[in-house]
Amino acid sequence: YAPWCPACQQIEATWESFAKESERLGITVGKVDVTQEPGLSGRFFVTTLPTIYHANDGVFRRYRGSRTLEDLQGYILERKWEAVEPVAGWKSPSSIMMHGMAGLFHFSGWIRQIHNYLTGTLGVHIWVSYAIFILATLLIGLLLGL
């Protein structure tokens, strides 16, 4: 979820109720703020918010059902998750590829921090910051090419 997301805000009360029922259901319920954990959004390839996953014994399934409390509980109690195709091996959050995707998301966050430092703290004009990144990209490409 993300705190600014209207759909996430809409499901928040339901999700909190679901979390309160987690002990009775024999599960653990959590939520991750993708603005604070960009690596996880990359690892799970989150493209829409909110995104719900069911994980059991290292097998991940994306929940795409209704987001009512009754349907979420039914998904667990009636073991509906067994009928859902697990995330493909190469797209699994534990795969090497998704580990690399998480690294790219972390890297993009690092670049954003540098940009904010240059423009916000040092007062560098935004286009000068862009020019610095363009030059850095070209130089790194030239060095790697050599």
Side-chain angles (χ1 to χ4, degrees):
Y1 86 99
W4 49 262
C5 169
C8 299
Q9 293 167 357
Q10 186 177 13
I11 193 177
E12 189 168 7
T14 302
W15 193 254
E16 293 299 325
S17 297
F18 185 53
K20 288 178 185 171
E21 295 290 318
S22 64
E23 190 172 325
R24 180 180 68 82
L25 297 170
I27 60 172
T28 301
V29 175
K31 64 181 182 178
V32 177
D33 182 349
V34 295
T35 63
Q36 298 298 314
E37 299 292 337
L40 280 178
S41 64
R43 185 175 295 264
F44 282 85
F45 204 64
V46 173
T47 56
T48 58
L49 293 174
T51 300
I52 301 172
Y53 275 94
H54 173 266
N56 188 19
D57 295 328
V59 178
F60 298 89
R61 292 173 172 86
R62 185 163 175 192
Y63 177 78
R64 296 182 191 268
S66 171
R67 295 178 177 171
T68 65
L69 180 58
E70 295 76 26
D71 287 332
L72 290 167
Q73 290 172 337
Y75 186 77
I76 301 301
L77 291 172
E78 298 167 21
R79 300 178 70 88
K80 292 179 181 178
W81 53 270
E82 291 176 334
V84 176
E85 185 77 24
V87 175
W90 66 273
K91 283 177 63 177
S92 174
S94 57
S95 72
I96 292 173
M97 184 170 173
M98 290 296 110
H99 183 73
M101 184 68 82
L104 287 174
F105 275 64
H106 279 294
F107 183 65
S108 69
W110 182 70
I111 289 174
R112 187 178 323 116
Q113 287 177 346
I114 292 172
H115 174 72
N116 290 339
Y117 175 75
L118 290 172
T119 57
T121 306
L122 298 181
V124 173
H125 191 274
I126 194 167
W127 288 105
V128 174
S129 175
Y130 291 160
I132 291 169
F133 283 109
I134 290 169
L135 288 173
T137 301
L138 290 172
L139 288 173
I140 290 170
L142 287 170
L143 288 173
L144 290 175
L146 292 176

